[in-house]
Amino acid sequence: MSPGAADDLLIEATLTARRSLDAEGLPLAPPEWWDLSAEARVRAFEAQMQARRIESAVDKRGWSTTVRAVMARIRGS
Amino acid sequence: MSPVDDLWARASAGDVDAFGDWMGRVERPIRRGLARYASLVDAEGIVQETLLRMWHLARDRNRTLAGENASLRWALALARNLARNEARKAKRHAELANLPVGDEPVLDPDSDPLLMKRIRECVEKLAGQLGRVFDLRLRLGPQIPDADLAQMSNMRRNTFLQNVTRARRQVVKCLEAAGVTREELAR
């Protein structure tokens, strides 16, 4: 796998809105995020902006997966 | 009263769906406000924690926010503070000191209906395996780990992620053919 393709895979793994929580209930960065260089983290951030736009467009209520993840926590608490 | 204020008022009165709509309006400005921290902290986690704390604030009868778009302004400041604290925890002091001071982010105008329509059309064009994995990630991704989504698709996790990436690229390519730029999508 080329370095670019490996980065793409790591970035995709960080694009999910699912976050594990630490002992205090705070969201943890996915392990793959820590493996990214500073430049790749900026690319991941831009990909996140793009991904959330697409998700909002296809959701009936206009909610991204981030909004749905938080709603699940609110409704589950 | 702005649409954001109206949604905030309804959320404060206990309307959970109104809070969801409020999040839908403020999520992008909050995330964009974290751009300068992108290499230091996981912005997704900061956005989610900010939104959750805003829900607790909305439900706090002893606190009220005054002024136009006050809830957004509060959330922007909260997100920045959380990002700075997170960066400090990770001992990234040197990088923090070099961060430029940014302008205050502004609210998005209402989503461009034509852009949203084009996005939907391009996502609908995803066929077969790519369509299935993309749909799975969108519907269940916020709650279910990728490893489990991969298993549901009879794939290894890496293969699943490769397919989601391919699907994403196909959607972006379709949008570019329709005249939508990557910058427009990420704005």
Side-chain angles (χ1 to χ4, degrees), chain B residues 17-31:
Chain B
D17 285 335
F19 186 71
D21 292 337
W22 177 86
M23 288 194 284
R25 292 295 294 252
V26 303
E27 178 196 345
R28 283 192 89 73
I30 293 173
R31 196 183 299 274

Side-chain angles (χ1 to χ4, degrees), chain A residues 1 4-5 8-19 21-22 24-34 36-59 61-75 77, chain B residues 10 16-21 23-24 27-28 31-32 34-35 38-49 51-53 55 89-90 92 108 111 115-116 119-120 123 134 137-146 157-158 161-162 164-165 168-169 171-172 175 182 184-187:
Chain A
M1 192 182 288
D8 286 349
L9 215 56
L10 292 175
I11 288 173
E12 187 58 57
T14 69
L15 292 187
T16 175
R18 186 180 183 279
R19 290 292 181 272
L21 304 177
D22 69 10
E24 293 168 5
L26 298 172
L28 288 166
E32 290 84 355
W33 188 85
W34 296 100
L36 293 170
S37 65
E39 293 74 23
R41 286 176 183 176
V42 172
R43 280 199 285 128
F45 175 82
E46 286 159 2
Q48 219 174 61
M49 291 290 291
Q50 199 178 86
R52 300 298 178 256
R53 171 82 81 195
I54 292 170
E55 292 158 9
S56 303
V58 297
D59 184 80
R61 220 171 158 130
W63 294 355
S64 71
T65 55
T66 298
V67 172
R68 290 199 287 117
V70 177
M71 286 299 272
R73 286 187 71 189
I74 290 171
R75 289 196 161 120
S77 61
Chain B
R10 286 166 50 202
V16 183
D17 285 335
F19 186 71
D21 292 337
M23 288 194 284
E27 178 196 345
R28 283 192 89 73
R31 196 183 299 274
R32 203 182 303 117
L34 295 172
S39 65
L40 306 179
V41 299
D42 170 40
E44 177 64 29
I46 300 291
V47 173
Q48 289 191 24
E49 185 59 23
L51 295 172
L52 191 65
R53 290 190 188 195
W55 168 247
K89 268 203 283 181
R92 296 173 182 273
D108 276 337
S111 298
L115 171 63
M116 295 313 211
I119 292 173
R120 280 193 295 275
V123 171
F134 201 69
R137 189 59 142 18
L138 252 57
R139 280 189 302 109
L140 305 177
Q143 276 87 46
I144 299 181
D146 284 332
R157 183 169 177 266
N158 276 5
L161 291 174
Q162 278 165 355
V164 179
T165 305
R168 210 181 283 292
R169 282 204 187 115
V171 171
V172 171
L175 285 166
R182 282 168 197 250
E184 214 175 327
L185 266 182
R187 198 178 296 147

Side-chain angles (χ1 to χ4, degrees), chain B residues 3 6 8 14 17-18 20-21 36 39 43 45 58 64 74 87 107-108 122 129 149-150 152 156 163 175 181 187:
Chain B
D6 178 51
W8 180 257
D17 285 335
D21 292 337
R36 76 189 92 151
S39 65
T64 50
W74 189 281
L107 248 187
D108 276 337
C122 286
Q129 192 162 263
L149 296 178
M152 288 160 71
R156 289 184 310 137
N163 279 318
L175 285 166
T181 63
R187 198 178 296 147

